[in-house]
Amino acid sequence: MKILVVGGGGREHAIIRALKKNPQCSDIWCAPGNGGISYDAHCVDIKATDLEKMVEFAAAEKFDYVVVAQDDPLALGMVDALAEKGIPAFGPNKAAARIEASKVFSKNLMKKYGIPTADYETFDDPAKAMEYILARGKYPVVIKADGLALGKGVLICEDEAAARDGLKEIMEDKKFGDSGNHVVVEEFLTGPEVSVLSFADGKTLKPMVSSMDHKRALDNDQGLNTGGMGTVAPNPYYTPQVAQRCMEEIFLPTMAAMEAEGCPFKGCLYFGLMLTPDGPKVIEYNCRFGDPETQVVLPLLESDLFTIMQACTNGTLADTPVEFSQGAAACVILASGGYPLSYPKGKEITGLTKGQLEGSDVTVYHAGTALKEGTLITSGGRVLGVTATADTLPKALELAYAASEKIHFEGAHKRTDIGRRALKALEK
Ligand code: AMP
Ligand code: GLY
């Protein structure tokens, strides 16, 4: 089977590694991929957002299956365009990808179908948005740009002045581009956050093992929001009782809502949940695997990923087993100094042989690496995701941290408290 994975980060690396466990997946390609991924797949330098070129390439090279892993090509309709060429793909079509690509769409969907989420209103006029914030008079208040803003289009405003500044930044200064033409103003929720990725075939949904992301750049959840500095799975706050409630109140209603709206969801549906004192609520949906959640979720998948992905495409997920091991996984991100603001690139990475730690069971997923004349160098903000699995979370964390000490590049930064909150929850 000739398979193309679209994207080029740690998530795509984890997907490729999981696909490779199936001997059928003998010929894996990745576009654009990265330095470390090139040890596991043929990388082709096509931008994930270059829809036309990608589809042309997939057709010319006669791929049997394409996995569109990244959000923007999904939002642009890459799965639809591939289908027109007769190429089956994993991921939602353009209409279904709106569940992530438009916060206005997803919030209205939740309101219409009674799916628990933060109270909100949507606005396209900054003055009206401010009037609403003043009338509610509750702080902090959350302001979200409508479109894809790489997880950065969310402002938590502590007071009136911050809300005014926030609206100006998003709607007038267009800090997040056109995604700021519309905003969602919503209630600030509290509680532990849980990420639940699920497989979906349009009708059936099967959740994966839960996970916990660590979004802030610095220890103790300080510093700026990032794409994610580390993850653990499973998430101890996600008890069987919570899981059942989420299935009944959130997961199944979301699948039914998407079907009723004429855009059944196929692919990986990601639920970003907050376990509030009033029960679990949706913070956000993503229309794709999370990054770095995938790096801890897929290593625990015992069933065959390729079989499941095809079942999602073909609508046969109900008959396809999705089993996870009882163990735990931890991923520690090594980032470039300065991330998520500006950071240097091109730093030599040492400690790895062909991208991995020699003689170790720990896997190094590459996010921002490149090969320059055979030498691995940094090329992004998040550089590597060092991931260990073990019977227990403490053991997985110990293994991942010990392994991360063996890898070096100038200015490398990691959080030292990944999983600490999860461990505390386990002690209770
Ligand atoms: P999002 O891009 O929607 O996932 O938001 C990024 C982060 O902002 C989330 O992971 C939360 O930590 C936080 N956040 C978003 N919406 C809310 C909310 N309504 N209440 C509290 N925190 C929120
Ligand atoms: N880790 C959060 C995301 O993938 O959006």
Side-chain angles (χ1 to χ4, degrees):
M1 285 274 188
K2 195 167 174 183
I3 300 167
L4 174 65
V5 176
V6 175
R11 163 185 54 207
E12 287 75 10
H13 199 184
I15 290 171
I16 288 166
R17 284 246 161 173
L19 287 172
K20 281 181 83 173
K21 290 185 189 162
N22 182 332
Q24 260 190 300
C25 302
S26 51
D27 194 11
I28 304 189
W29 295 62
C30 188
N34 65 42
I37 291 178
S38 68
Y39 295 113
D40 284 306
H42 310 279
C43 292
V44 195
D45 194 14
I46 303 175
K47 275 204 188 99
T49 47
D50 193 339
L51 198 130
E52 210 171 302
K53 208 165 164 194
M54 192 73 75
V55 173
E56 212 172 274
F57 172 73
E61 290 287 330
K62 299 195 168 53
F63 279 93
D64 297 301
Y65 195 69
V66 178
V67 178
V68 185
Q70 203 173 300
D71 49 4
D72 22 20
L74 289 167
L76 289 168
M78 192 175 280
V79 169
D80 315 55
L82 287 163
E84 273 172 28
K85 299 267 184 201
I87 304 172
F90 181 81
N93 62 15
K94 186 174 182 175
R98 283 180 300 166
I99 200 163
E100 171 171 5
S102 166
K103 293 213 190 274
V104 173
F105 172 82
S106 66
K107 292 296 289 191
N108 288 344
L109 185 87
M110 288 186 268
K111 190 183 267 181
K112 183 168 172 188
Y113 294 92
I115 297 163
T117 186
D119 280 343
Y120 76 101
E121 284 298 332
T122 61
F123 299 93
D124 51 19
D125 174 355
K128 291 245 162 64
M130 197 61 218
E131 252 173 52
Y132 170 78
I133 292 172
L134 290 174
R136 271 186 88 245
K138 278 195 203 150
Y139 301 94
V141 62
V142 182
I143 305 176
K144 299 185 174 183
D146 177 44
L148 296 176
L150 297 171
K152 294 180 194 105
V154 175
L155 299 179
I156 295 173
C157 305
E158 298 293 337
D159 53 30
E160 187 186 323
R164 266 186 215 287
D165 289 348
L167 284 172
K168 183 170 173 295
E169 261 180 34
I170 295 181
M171 301 190 84
E172 287 167 31
D173 306 344
K174 297 271 159 67
K175 191 170 169 193
F176 308 105
D178 284 344
S179 72
N181 288 345
H182 306 275
V183 293
V184 172
V185 176
E186 71 177 30
E187 160 198 30
F188 178 76
L189 299 175
T190 54
E193 286 188 57
V194 182
S195 305
V196 180
L197 283 57
S198 67
F199 292 108
D201 73 353
K203 282 193 184 307
T204 301
L205 171 143
K206 293 196 175 177
M208 300 183 219
V209 63
S210 62
S211 55
M212 183 191 285
D213 193 5
H214 298 68
K215 285 207 166 115
R216 301 293 198 97
L218 307 175
D219 282 9
N220 300 315
D221 294 326
Q222 301 294 308
L224 295 171
N225 249 329
T226 70
M229 291 298 293
T231 35
V232 297
N235 184 323
Y237 291 101
Y238 194 70
T239 61
Q241 292 76 16
V242 174
Q244 193 184 342
R245 211 169 151 184
C246 289
M247 182 60 95
E248 286 164 10
E249 296 176 13
I250 296 173
F251 304 163
L252 296 178
T254 301
M255 287 298 285
M258 291 297 277
E259 200 179 355
E261 291 296 307
C263 50
F265 192 97
K266 290 183 171 196
C268 174
L269 183 52
Y270 166 129
F271 299 88
L273 305 169
M274 197 170 264
L275 308 182
T276 78
D278 300 329
K281 294 191 181 185
V282 178
I283 289 279
E284 64 162 348
Y285 292 113
N286 290 326
C287 67
R288 43 140 186 114
F289 284 96
D291 189 341
E293 284 90 342
T294 308
Q295 290 89 314
V296 287
V297 168
L298 290 186
L300 297 175
L301 178 64
E302 287 187 332
S303 312
D304 176 52
L305 178 63
F306 186 53
T307 308
I308 298 170
M309 285 184 157
Q310 286 183 304
C312 290
T313 307
N314 300 335
T316 54
L317 186 60
D319 309 320
T320 306
V322 176
E323 304 286 347
F324 283 84
S325 88
Q326 293 302 306
C331 171
V332 175
I333 298 289
L334 300 184
S336 296
Y339 173 77
L341 300 175
S342 66
Y343 50 83
K345 290 184 185 176
K347 301 292 177 194
E348 183 177 346
I349 301 167
T350 57
L352 299 175
T353 308
K354 293 197 167 165
Q356 297 298 320
L357 287 158
E358 240 176 356
S360 167
D361 290 334
V362 171
T363 306
V364 181
Y365 294 115
H366 288 243
T369 69
L371 275 175
K372 192 179 166 196
E373 289 150 19
T375 302
L376 210 50
I377 56 170
T378 65
S379 68
R382 289 188 293 177
V383 178
L384 300 166
V386 184
T387 302
T389 56
D391 294 346
T392 64
L393 182 58
K395 188 82 198 147
L397 282 163
E398 196 184 310
L399 287 169
Y401 269 113
S404 74
E405 292 296 318
K406 296 182 182 152
I407 307 167
H408 303 279
F409 54 89
E410 194 188 316
H413 164 69
K414 63 174 175 256
R415 273 180 64 161
T416 65
D417 66 341
I418 301 303
R420 194 177 292 162
R421 197 163 172 212
L423 291 179
K424 280 215 181 97
L426 284 172
E427 282 163 13
K428 276 184 198 158

